[in-house]
Amino acid sequence: MSGRGRGVLLVLCGAIFLEGIDVAVLNVALPSIRAELGLSTGELQWVMSAYVLGYGGFMLLGGRAADLFGRRRMFLLPLAVFLVFSGLGGLAGDGWTLVLARFVTGTCAAFLMPAGLSVITTGFPAGRQRTTALLVYSGTGGGGFSVGLVVGGLLTAADWRWVFFAPVVLAALILAAGLPLIPRTEEARGTEEIRTDGAPAARTAAGQRPRLDLPGAVTVTAAILLFVLTVERATHAPPVQTLATLAASLLLLLAFVLIERRSPAPLVRPGIFRTRALVRANLTGLLFTAGFFGFQFIAVLYLRELRGWSTVRTSFAMLAMGADVVLAPLLTPRLVRRFGTARVILGGLLLAAVAYAAFLPLGMDRAYAAMFPSVLLIGVAFALVHGPLTMTATDGVAEREQGLAAGLLYTSLQFGAALGLSAATAVATAVAGAATAPGDAGLLSAYRTALLVPLLTAVLAVLLSPRERRRRRLRPLTPPKPALCGPAAPDGRGE
């Protein structure tokens, strides 16, 4: 990989690290934010939900926009807006300013992430360079989240507003480096072979600028927004409201399908779902992230509420989950080259299932040494699953649809996170409410039961994980005649 190629990869890794750390640092700052701004529980929930809504709701549109209007443009412009509104969050004097800032930064991430991934899948040459770039990229994202858990505790100890100001500094550095490094054209430059849809937007064969399918964009974005809202609010909203938003989401999704079938230039080409590897990768990613975030949520509650651990101590206890930031670029590429992506993904999913099962026997005095193997194995599993899934989801997809494929994958990952959190919360709440044991014993039973959610999702992911491609053997049109037939081909295949 050339020096410029490494520079481009560094910028892209910085962006996904920023996204990971931005999500994690806020989690530990919520109590301090509530105390200073006097927020109700509902307002505090919206500070978290607003980011998820923007991120999940606009991800598919962001991925397609990168294909149509240029990956460089859709990377740098949202990054600049992200910088401004993250700073606005740090200056907020009331809860709803924070909600607005989080919604806009989530929306920026929805455009930023698919554009960054598609720069790699279209810019780095297929083979060892692209494989390494994808695995380093995905490992950096997971590492950012893990580091953010610790950094969030340290920043909150100083002042919760630094949780918003620190990403501003990082975003400014990435933007300053990205302006000269992210290339403007799709042409290979020397031996770097770094190509993007830069400033000139992609054009059709007739020389016309491609049009965005606005009816499709509006309906699918509204459908996803309502669906994410339904999932996020399912555990603490009235059942009637939940059913109403779900029904509206499904109706809009049906309208989107009808629009796409008739559109001459659809936002999502229906035929893309005939790619089995892409579909399996998306389903696997959804289930894997559901388990990952569901486990983390319950484990943190267990350590904080039942064991009475401090924010910083809990953050350091979960830090081993960041093992992927080291393993993804060093170990995973070798395993992929030797065993293939499907087997590596399957191995990671099995490790995750083992880790969740090993964490199940919780107790009020369980030593951290007994929990550490599970936390570490989950980090290893992330390194084995996330990067190879990214490769599988974009492999075989036409270059003009790489942004769309990236948007589909990130949408699945975001849905998985929301579903995992909601399912684990719902189970824990239901069991705690029905528990006959008082106090801590009831909570312990609730957390044990809720940990079955990530275990179940890991098992389902194993069953649905991508499979290795098998080459089809061509049969002769007529059976060979023994007396006249020459020796068979060494591998039995036709020409």
Side-chain angles (χ1 to χ4, degrees), residues 8 56 153 173 204 211-212 254 399 471 476 492:
V8 172
L173 293 174
T204 62
R211 294 179 300 171
L212 181 65
L254 177 61
E399 184 170 324
R471 295 182 181 180

Side-chain angles (χ1 to χ4, degrees), residues 151-192:
V151 172
L154 298 176
L155 291 176
T156 304
D159 190 331
W160 67 263
R161 295 183 184 275
W162 278 105
V163 167
F164 295 92
F165 291 144
V168 171
V169 177
L170 183 55
L173 293 174
I174 298 168
L175 185 62
L179 284 169
L181 283 173
I182 302 295
R184 294 179 176 273
T185 68
E186 290 193 22
E187 299 174 358
R189 301 188 177 189
T191 59
E192 297 171 346

Side-chain angles (χ1 to χ4, degrees), residues 273-297:
F273 295 107
R274 298 193 188 107
T275 307
R276 292 184 181 181
L278 180 145
V279 173
R280 280 184 174 270
N282 278 266
L283 290 175
T284 303
L286 186 150
L287 292 167
F288 180 72
T289 53
F292 181 83
F293 283 95
F295 169 82
Q296 182 177 259
F297 179 69

Side-chain angles (χ1 to χ4, degrees), residues 322-392:
D324 60 293
V325 74
V326 176
L327 297 177
L330 298 179
L331 176 64
T332 310
R334 297 180 181 180
L335 295 176
V336 167
R337 286 193 294 270
R338 182 168 182 178
F339 300 107
T341 55
R343 291 190 182 123
V344 173
I345 291 170
L346 180 61
L349 295 173
L350 291 172
L351 279 182
V354 170
Y356 297 144
F359 202 84
L360 277 175
L362 296 179
M364 293 301 299
D365 56 352
R366 194 180 188 199
Y368 177 69
M371 296 182 278
F372 177 77
S374 290
V375 179
L376 179 61
L377 281 179
I378 292 170
V380 175
F382 197 96
L384 298 181
V385 173
H386 192 265
L389 268 183
T390 303
M391 297 164 59
T392 303

Side-chain angles (χ1 to χ4, degrees), residues 291-314:
F292 181 83
F293 283 95
F295 169 82
Q296 182 177 259
F297 179 69
I298 296 300
V300 168
L301 287 180
Y302 163 71
L303 295 174
R304 292 293 311 278
E305 295 187 352
L306 285 181
R307 304 297 297 274
W309 289 18
S310 68
T311 299
V312 175
R313 186 182 180 188
T314 301

Side-chain angles (χ1 to χ4, degrees), residues 421-448:
L421 288 169
S422 296
T425 301
V427 171
T429 302
V431 175
T436 56
D440 291 347
L443 278 179
L444 183 61
S445 176
Y447 293 156
R448 281 176 178 167

